[in-house]
Amino acid sequence: MLAQAVEVSEFVRPHIDWHAFAPELILLAWGALVTVIDLIGLEKTRRYIPGLTGIGFLLAMIPVLTLWNDGSTRVLFDGAYVVDEYALVLKGLFLITGYVVVLFSTYYMADGDYYDSEYYQLIAASLLGMLVMTSARDLISIFVALELISIPAYLMAAWRKRDLKSNEAGLKYMLMGVFASAIMLYGMSLLYGVAGDTRLSVIGEAFTVSESKPLFTLAVLFTIIGFAFKISAVPFHTWAPDTYEGAPTPLTAFLAVASKTAGFVALVSIILEGFSGQAEVVEPFMWILSAVTMTVGNLIALKQTNIVRMLAYSGIAQAGYMMAPLAVYGTVSDAARSSIVTYLVIYAAMNLGAFTVVIAAARRTKSGEVASFGGMINWSPGLMAAMTVFLFSLAGIPPMGGWLAKWQIFSALLEADRNTGVALAIVAAVNSVIAAYYYLNIAKQMWFLPSPEGEFRPFKVPAALTAALVITVVLTIGMGVTGFVPEITEFVAAP
Amino acid sequence: MTEFLNEWGITIMVFLPLLGVAAMMLIPKEAEGSHKAIALGTALVTGGFGAWLLTKFDDLSVEELAALNETGNVPLYESRQWIPTIKASFDVAIDGMSLPLIALTLLVTPLVIIYSLNHIPKPGNAKMFLILMLVLHTGMLGTFVAQDLVLFFVFFEVVLLPMYFMIGVWGGPDRLYASIKFFLYTLFGSALMLVSFLALFAQTGQETFNLVGLAEAVASGDIPLGTQVLIFGGMFMGFGIKVPMFPFHTWLPDAHTQAPTQGSVILAAVLLKLGTYGFIRIALPILPDAAVEWAPWIGGLAVIGIIYGALGCLAQTDMKRLIAFSSVAHMGYVMLGIATLTDFGINAAIFGMVAHGLITGMLFFIAGSIKDRYHTLEIKRLGGLLVQAPRLGWILGLCTMASLGLPGLAGFWGEFPAILAAYQPAEPLSEELFRVYMVIAAIGTVLAAAYLLWLLQRTAFGTPSDEFKDDPEIVDVKLTEWISWVPLLILILVLGFVPGLIFDITDSSAVEALKNIGVK
């Protein structure tokens, strides 16, 4: 105690590498600027807020690119905050995701007559948490980042305040989220208790020599369960479909892509660094979690008639695939990391795209039912072609990007050369066939079946949505044909 | 110029159809005439260019081509980087094994598009239909030229999409069921195939996905036989479902029956061959020891398929479904040829693939035309085709004769050598077992004669039923039909008399593919 007190009194400000911090700082400053502009301009500036927010996200991309160009790993705060290739790839992913979310939120929010300026400020705040999360290598900064991501999201989930379902979505999400945080915190406190430090690298080393296995197992279990809620792994997924359905659809996309990715980032950091020496404890747990998540997610998705709920369950199943390499990380740590990042990048493009189509089509159909997509071949062939690309990408059919994501996951599982890996690969292979059924079900509606309400006259997709669609379609196909994602994520492997 | 074409020729051939697709996307769908013109033009240019490329064939195996390519670009072999991180490269080549199938693809697609000029099935939309056809063209050509497992997998899957939509949008009354069944069956097989591809990659030390490289790595490595057998099993699922082999054949009759005529023709002529081609191009050369373990089972399933397919044919009341079941039987002969693991058997198999493509493709064309005229394919309502449309009737006669393996027509050279090959299978295989298979397969030819002659008798002979007696729609062969059929009919005759045209090309590749069989 005394020693610690002395240390505190002799505190010197650690050296801060401003370049390494630049993306977060730009985002913070820009978010504040947008808030001030909104406060001063009120109604007059309201229509410029989405555009301004989007520009801010793109501005924050600049230091990400210069840091990538620089290439060196920057360690801040005694290893609690690290800016390496892994962090940079994901920062870039989050910023682009954020930009696309702003693009397709624009009309939705304005049309619904919601308080839209605050919505964008909250998106920016949540995104800031995500950027911090990519670099966090310390239990406390991970936790702070996670809360910074989640609290704005609780608010936004209940954004359509006159709609009961949206209220339900917000409340459910918050209660479950807080509950998960509490469990995770308990697990983290156990980790700190055993290791005596909050930095992941130190925890990793401490546990390699530690003999307190039961305590460690308990700590691992609680921490992972906490994250399992965040990434909606089965059996901790029950909040996701209700929240996704009730929340404003653009926010649902944000939750399903960005928020889930952030949960994965934390999980990957903690498991691969903090639990690096304890694979035999963590792996079986991740194996079961992965197999159950993908299977249950897919089986329930088969029954869904609401398209957003279906995408929610498909997202749950996709999380199962993403977790799979963590079941063999003891042997193929590098491959596990790069394959998961590859999956996250490709998943973001295709899932955001699918949500963009849902948002665009809902402007016309005013419905979230799968059947409302009927006859799209006649009333919007362009939208149908885009959705077909995303669906087949999600199903993992080349030449769309999804196949490469699956390929990398399978590759990591089989590279481990262990029976558990092979078994999980076969489970995933069978699952990908089940998943194809419900993705094809949407394709069937669009291509083969007539519209439920007779013929629609063709309609025009607004410019911002078109931009979001073009970005996601080009990325989804480009990733599948040129295979550039593994070329980038190759670098994330060796920290 | 030659240098450039040596370096890019195959790539250009594979992706030319996509150029047409890009052009068609820019034209509104009302301009059906220009869509048809562009699609046909693209297919003809691809065919012409491809045919010119194929004339450069010099009886070199892929290995020899690759060795020559080290010193300078050679025709029919291209190797370039694609995704270096995952060791996938864009390696494409044409050798004796793929040449006949590429030629078949290059021929059949333009013919199908010619047929489509005035046969766009309901509900119309020529633009979408022809775009899908051209995408399919690229996928099929790509699968046959791929020399890299990743590339092969990508093209193998690309083929699924257009066919799924073709059946689902333009198919018969039961099209929704048939299309999803087709898709899920194939996807199930290819998912397991993907696992075994990656397992093979991991087991060979993650060096390369190149087929020749993998074969060398397996031959010089020490992968346990049990593992090899399992990896082969994954491939067997992928290729076997595509073929389709008994008991995975149930998607085929539905898909064939519900697909529009053009879809059935492409499906029968080319798509089924992707599976058998996978066996001789990938599974056998790379995993020869596992192939020896699997061969008796493959042979067994093949002869079951022959008998089962034939019996299935006898029970059909729908002409298109009957032809579909006959495919199961015919692909059984192809698989029996492959299962013998002899060069004789593989040559027969490749010939059988081409012959089946020509003959069954023709039969589906005829069925489509009969459907156009009679609006039904129910055998018992048909009859008297020779009276009402004599030329169509005689063409049907010729094709059924070819299909049942009459000597002098192409079908004979696919079936007979395959049966003969089973008399003397490769060294490590049980001679007794394969002779039993041989006898069963021979019985299958009798059944084939029975169902095909019965079909001919009930549809072409006799007098027209009252229902159709004075139907003005029943006319003889039309011009577009003549143009799209004549090349196939000529080939059926020519290959029947001069089978050496194909055997001379395939022989050295067949020997090459089997060089590691029974070495260990």
Side-chain angles (χ1 to χ4, degrees), chain B residues 43-55:
Chain B
L44 286 175
V45 170
T46 312
F49 181 76
W52 174 79
L53 207 60
L54 296 184
T55 58

Side-chain angles (χ1 to χ4, degrees), chain A residues 314-338:
Chain A
S314 116
I316 292 170
Q318 301 271 355
Y321 303 138
M322 288 183 223
M323 265 185 277
L326 292 178
V328 290
Y329 78 95
T331 354
V332 287
S333 173
D334 284 353
R337 190 194 289 258
S338 58

Side-chain angles (χ1 to χ4, degrees), chain A residues 391-402:
Chain A
L391 289 174
F392 284 104
S393 186
L394 285 165
I397 311 288
M400 287 55 144

Side-chain angles (χ1 to χ4, degrees), chain A residues 45-114:
Chain A
T45 51
R46 189 172 154 180
R47 50 193 287 244
Y48 302 112
I49 297 293
L52 270 178
T53 319
I55 290 170
F57 295 172
L58 293 185
L59 277 180
M61 266 307 274
I62 296 171
V64 172
L65 293 176
T66 57
L67 283 166
W68 175 268
N69 217 19
D70 182 52
S72 60
T73 301
R74 291 152 189 265
V75 181
L76 288 80
F77 309 128
D78 297 333
Y81 200 86
V82 177
V83 179
D84 54 5
E85 275 95 351
Y86 169 71
L88 287 173
V89 169
L90 291 162
K91 280 183 215 272
L93 172 66
F94 282 127
L95 287 169
I96 294 171
T97 305
Y99 182 70
V100 174
V101 168
V102 168
L103 280 182
F104 60 55
S105 297
T106 311
Y107 289 89
Y108 190 94
M109 286 298 151
D111 288 356
D113 197 24
Y114 304 116

Side-chain angles (χ1 to χ4, degrees), chain B residues 174-192:
Chain B
D174 228 0
R175 60 187 200 278
L176 297 182
Y177 172 73
S179 57
I180 193 113
K181 191 169 177 182
F182 161 74
F183 198 98
L184 291 185
Y185 263 71
T186 326
L187 191 65
F188 178 71
S190 51
L192 294 178

Side-chain angles (χ1 to χ4, degrees), chain B residues 295-484:
Chain B
W297 301 98
I298 295 178
L301 290 175
V303 293
I304 294 176
I306 293 173
I307 299 297
Y308 183 90
L311 293 178
C313 283
L314 286 170
Q316 297 309 315
T317 56
D318 182 284
M319 183 172 170
K320 218 172 167 188
R321 218 175 154 82
L322 189 149
I323 303 170
F325 264 101
S326 81
S327 281
V328 178
H330 283 117
M331 295 316 275
Y333 289 106
V334 173
M335 287 314 298
L336 179 64
I338 293 172
T340 62
L341 302 181
T342 57
D343 52 346
F344 196 57
I346 302 243
N347 277 319
I350 301 175
F351 200 105
M353 291 186 222
V354 176
H356 174 263
L358 298 170
I359 298 165
T360 311
M362 256 322 288
L363 283 172
F364 276 118
F365 266 138
I366 297 168
S369 289
I370 291 181
K371 173 102 187 196
D372 273 350
R373 291 164 171 77
Y374 292 84
H375 303 290
T376 179
L377 282 170
E378 216 175 308
I379 297 170
K380 66 171 183 249
R381 285 171 65 193
L382 301 172
L385 191 62
L386 279 168
V387 177
Q388 286 186 297
R391 293 190 185 86
L392 188 57
W394 281 115
I395 293 174
L396 175 64
L398 177 80
C399 293
T400 46
M401 293 303 156
S403 186
L404 65 82
L406 195 74
L409 296 172
F412 175 75
W413 298 105
E415 277 177 28
F416 181 69
I419 297 171
L420 211 55
Y423 182 77
Q424 189 72 56
E427 198 62 50
L429 299 174
S430 152
E431 217 165 68
E432 292 78 13
L433 184 66
F434 272 84
R435 287 191 185 163
V436 172
Y437 290 166
M438 185 185 90
V439 172
I440 301 173
I443 295 170
T445 60
V446 180
L447 291 173
Y451 65 76
L452 284 163
L453 292 175
W454 200 32
L455 170 75
L456 184 64
Q457 194 182 357
R458 286 182 293 171
T459 53
F461 297 172
T463 48
S465 62
D466 293 340
E467 189 183 357
F468 298 115
K469 201 160 47 183
D470 302 314
D471 195 329
E473 278 189 48
I474 297 167
V475 291
D476 218 333
V477 185
K478 295 176 203 159
L479 181 66
T480 47
E481 290 170 341
W482 275 123
I483 300 175
S484 48

Side-chain angles (χ1 to χ4, degrees), chain A residues 279-303:
Chain A
E280 75 273 21
V281 178
V282 183
E283 280 181 351
F285 193 61
M286 294 312 295
W287 198 101
I288 295 169
L289 206 58
S290 164
V292 172
T293 301
M294 63 176 93
T295 312
V296 172
N298 275 328
L299 289 179
I300 303 182
L302 287 176
K303 281 282 168 201

